[in-house]
Amino acid sequence: MSLAVQTADLDVIGAGFVHLDYAATAPCVRVAADAVQALLPRYGSVHRGAGPRSQASTLEYERARAVVATFLGCRPGDQVVFTRNTTDALNLLARALPPGTTTVVFDGEHHANLLPWPSVLRLPAPSSPAEAVAAADRALGDRTGPALLTVTGASNVTGEVWPLRELAAVAHRHGARIAVDAAQLAPHAPVSLAGLDADYVALSGHKLYAPFGAGVLAGRADWLDAAPPYLAGGGASAWVGDRAGDVRWATGPARHEGGTPNLLGAVALGAVCAALLETDRAALRAHEQELLTRLREGVRRLPGAVEVSLFGTRTAERVGIVSLALPGRDPVAVAARLADTFGIGVRAGQFCAHPLVRRLASVPGGAGCGEAGLLRVSFGLGTTSDDIDSLLGALGLLLG
Ligand code: PMP
């Protein structure tokens, strides 16, 4: 069933079972599939050919970049670099940091935003948005030299939304920059570099209803243009001489998009961004919040399941992601039963956020879940109240 506010472009394709693992990979929507289908019979190389196929493909690729720039609220001069995914985008940014930059991160991050940084100051995961802002303020105030604060937009474990505007203001007050890992926020809410006054944003197409293989790093051009190319090779080089090392690197996105780019991935992602820009996202969000309330209230009535939260279950704004501690049970075994017996897909474990999950799995009542982790339910476009009820019914049978 699609929402009245949602065009058919955003219908998910290939339904057939209850998929509640959108945070790992969301299903593909119609407009992305159509964009790929339309391009298959006529694509050619991007930025490397004189023929009509090549010309049309170059145009489509650059159109996709322009749409993504609009989708992410890029300012004049910001760059949009196509990458493979969020992990790739954040690794690119890590490689582009000016020498001596300290990166400040919280332990609540996904590993993709915890591990790439060459010189990192790790702060304990905060227990409220205000504490996050205060901790960032202290850490950035204490340091000397260039700094980058990098933070998730919405937690891939709890779905809680981080105080991005406030963190951006703190970073800038101390002369630092801020990067937003929007892998989980962008599928659920508008993310704007200009609106947040953020410096960089990273996302993955496969979590944003496009198929695999394309992600984005968008933001300030200066660090990117000054950095060594992420992938040395054709496309990244403007001129190559006869001696080793005799090379002039391209500037702009091409500098970091060495090799033949992923045209289909970029175009599919651009098509989703265009469709979302045309959609009433506030209405989508309202529907998602209804489903979230239904899920969370149902979970409260379940025996043996405790919703985990970083910022406190009552207050925090969140997207359609909820993780449960199941004291005394193996969440991986419960997830397997949900799949095998009920045809319901969720995820269990530590979700590439080991420090955070270890901490959250030790909530009162959740003690003992430790290394086994949590059970995560996540949803988005195409999810219905029937899906949520099926999950709650199945969990009631398995945990009762
Ligand atoms: N950041 C967050 C918050 C995520 O949830 C994920 C994926 N689970 C990533 C980064 C990494 O995304 P990808 O695997 O697409 O690189």
Side-chain angles (χ1 to χ4, degrees):
M1 184 187 71
S2 57
L3 274 175
V5 292
Q6 182 188 313
T7 65
D9 281 351
L10 289 173
D11 285 347
V12 304
I13 59 170
F17 56 93
V18 180
H19 180 60
L20 294 170
D21 193 13
Y22 281 50
T25 288
C28 182
V29 292
R30 166 81 40 219
V31 73
D34 287 351
V36 171
Q37 197 64 42
L39 210 48
L40 286 175
R42 56 188 183 85
Y43 67 71
S45 70
V46 174
H47 291 307
R48 290 161 169 76
R53 276 176 175 251
S54 181
Q55 283 179 22
S57 297
T58 300
L59 204 64
E60 296 273 5
Y61 188 67
E62 293 307 328
R63 261 195 206 129
R65 196 191 307 280
V67 171
V68 170
T70 305
F71 182 75
L72 290 175
C74 287
R75 300 147 294 216
D78 280 341
Q79 271 184 21
V80 171
V81 182
F82 283 116
T83 62
R84 287 176 295 182
N85 47 37
T86 304
T87 305
D88 201 30
L90 293 171
N91 273 270
L92 162 58
L93 182 57
R95 296 261 288 273
L97 298 177
T101 301
T102 303
T103 304
V104 178
V105 292
F106 289 96
D107 274 347
E109 295 297 323
H110 186 281
H111 297 168
N113 197 24
L114 203 56
L115 302 179
W117 313 107
S119 167
V120 68
L121 175 62
R122 274 173 60 170
L123 307 177
S127 52
S128 71
E131 196 181 305
V133 176
D137 197 12
R138 274 192 305 276
L140 292 167
D142 284 350
R143 56 99 223 171
T144 51
L148 174 76
L149 173 66
T150 181
V151 63
T152 192
S155 165
N156 70 309
V157 178
T158 67
E160 289 164 301
V161 175
W162 283 60
L164 299 176
R165 269 193 196 82
E166 294 82 349
L167 289 169
V170 162
H172 293 153
R173 195 161 65 237
H174 292 294
R177 290 190 177 184
I178 182 168
V180 176
D181 170 356
Q184 299 298 348
L185 184 58
H188 301 277
V191 175
S192 164
L193 280 163
L196 294 170
D197 194 20
D199 298 288
Y200 302 95
V201 64
L203 59 74
S204 292
H206 73 99
K207 295 183 195 288
L208 192 61
Y209 307 104
F212 297 97
V216 169
L217 176 70
R220 308 269 180 212
D222 52 353
W223 287 3
L224 293 169
D225 276 342
Y230 188 47
L231 289 171
S237 45
W239 174 87
V240 179
D242 295 333
R243 284 193 302 271
D246 218 0
V247 52
R248 197 170 66 242
W249 298 110
T251 52
R255 187 179 186 86
H256 300 296
E257 290 181 356
T260 300
N262 176 1
L263 170 67
L264 292 173
V267 165
L269 175 54
V272 177
C273 291
L276 284 171
L277 282 168
E278 292 289 304
T279 300
D280 181 350
R281 293 199 82 187
L284 286 182
R285 186 178 146 71
H287 177 63
E288 182 179 304
Q289 293 297 313
E290 272 172 32
L291 296 178
L292 198 51
T293 302
R294 192 179 190 96
L295 172 62
R296 296 177 70 206
E297 284 177 355
V299 164
R300 274 199 282 280
R301 290 192 293 272
L302 284 176
V306 183
E307 180 193 323
V308 295
S309 164
L310 195 52
F311 299 151
T313 45
R314 281 169 196 282
T315 49
E317 184 190 344
R318 59 183 68 216
V319 301
I321 300 173
V322 173
S323 286
L324 309 176
L326 307 177
R329 306 232 181 208
D330 175 5
V332 175
V334 173
R337 286 289 305 280
L338 284 172
D340 297 345
T341 309
F342 300 95
I344 297 173
V346 297
R347 178 146 175 221
Q350 301 192 50
F351 323 125
C352 301
H354 292 181
L356 177 60
V357 170
R358 264 198 305 277
R359 172 176 156 176
L360 294 176
S362 310
V363 290
C369 296
E371 296 296 321
L374 303 165
L375 187 89
R376 183 179 72 186
V377 182
S378 56
F379 57 88
L381 290 175
T383 306
T384 64
S385 50
D386 286 350
D387 295 336
I388 302 295
D389 292 349
S390 300
L391 172 80
L392 290 169
L395 280 176
L397 291 172
L398 291 177
L399 301 177

